[in-house]
Amino acid sequence: LRMLRYQLNPHFLFNTLNAISTLVLDGDNQTANRMVTSLSAFLRHSLDADPMQRVTLKQELDALNLYLGIEKVRFAERLTLRSDVDDDAYGALLPSLLLQPLIENAIKYAVAKCEDGCRIGIRAHANGEWLDLELTDNGPGSPAFAPGAPESNGVGLRNTRERLATLYGERQRPCAENRPEGGVRVRITLPLETQ
């Protein structure tokens, strides 16, 4: 679990440092400073949090906002986020940084490829004894999710599946698919647990 949890994508760090460098060269030191501060806060959170512990969905979304704040500087208006979270889902427990690699995939494969911009959606619903999570984007979709496509070699989704299987056994259901209207949908169903 610790190994899976600490796989920080070097591309994210590389891209962030390049964006900061560009801001400094352009003389936009205030934005560069804000981005360094956000990067520091995100790295501190990702490295300090115990991967064996679960966090509330509210804490997970707060960490995700640190990450998205960094990406928002890179992509500006090309990245928009829509969130639909039930009030009673905020206290649900889940593995820390579970959603970050999925959002990172959406940014890498949808936002970065859409010159006109891309919308990422996050939905969370407490459904009886289950927590339903859904992440969507309106990008070009993924050939890896086409019918008959071979298993993807991507780290983010595989890492997520392995972490969920290790923590919940058979009591979890991840599903990734292309949406008929375009883009990708990732659904995760977990047992609803609260503090």
Side-chain angles (χ1 to χ4, degrees):
L1 275 177
R2 285 188 174 92
M3 180 199 69
L4 291 169
R5 168 63 173 66
Y6 288 136
Q7 285 181 349
L8 180 66
N9 188 334
H11 292 102
F12 158 69
L13 193 54
F14 176 77
N15 290 336
T16 301
L17 293 173
N18 272 342
I20 292 168
S21 176
T22 300
L23 290 168
V24 170
L25 290 173
D26 290 346
D28 191 352
N29 295 336
Q30 185 175 358
T31 305
N33 185 55
R34 193 171 68 243
M35 201 168 181
V36 167
T37 302
S38 296
L39 177 61
S40 174
F42 175 73
L43 290 175
R44 185 176 299 111
H45 172 82
S46 66
L47 296 174
D48 284 350
D50 183 349
M52 305 303 284
Q53 298 297 316
R54 295 184 180 122
V55 297
T56 65
L57 179 60
K58 167 89 170 71
Q59 292 168 316
E60 177 75 353
L61 294 174
D62 289 346
L64 203 54
N65 282 327
L66 290 172
Y67 173 78
L68 287 167
I70 296 165
E71 296 293 14
K72 189 78 169 144
V73 173
R74 286 182 56 212
F75 292 104
E77 300 305 314
R78 289 174 53 199
L79 170 59
T80 58
L81 178 69
R82 186 173 39 99
S83 182
D84 178 18
V85 179
D86 291 351
D87 287 340
D88 53 349
Y90 281 111
L93 295 174
L94 65 158
S96 64
L97 291 179
L98 177 71
L99 302 178
Q100 188 273 335
L102 304 176
I103 293 291
E104 188 171 335
N105 278 351
I107 288 171
K108 181 177 179 181
Y109 297 110
V111 178
K113 295 186 179 202
C114 294
E115 291 299 321
D116 296 333
C118 187
R119 183 178 62 251
I120 295 175
I122 298 174
R123 189 182 72 78
H125 176 65
N127 181 14
E129 63 182 46
W130 300 100
L131 173 66
D132 294 323
L133 302 168
E134 181 179 273
L135 286 86
T136 58
D137 67 63
N138 63 341
S142 172
F145 304 142
E151 178 98 12
S152 171
N153 290 329
V155 173
L157 194 54
R158 186 179 68 240
N159 181 305
T160 300
R161 285 185 173 128
E162 288 176 18
R163 287 182 71 200
L164 291 173
T166 301
L167 286 166
Y168 298 101
E170 297 295 318
R171 289 180 47 85
Q172 47 82 29
R173 290 187 302 275
C175 171
E177 61 189 358
N178 287 320
R179 301 189 314 156
E181 64 271 31
V184 168
R185 173 185 296 117
V186 178
R187 292 182 178 140
I188 298 173
T189 302
L190 303 174
L192 180 61
E193 302 172 39
T194 57
Q195 286 180 321

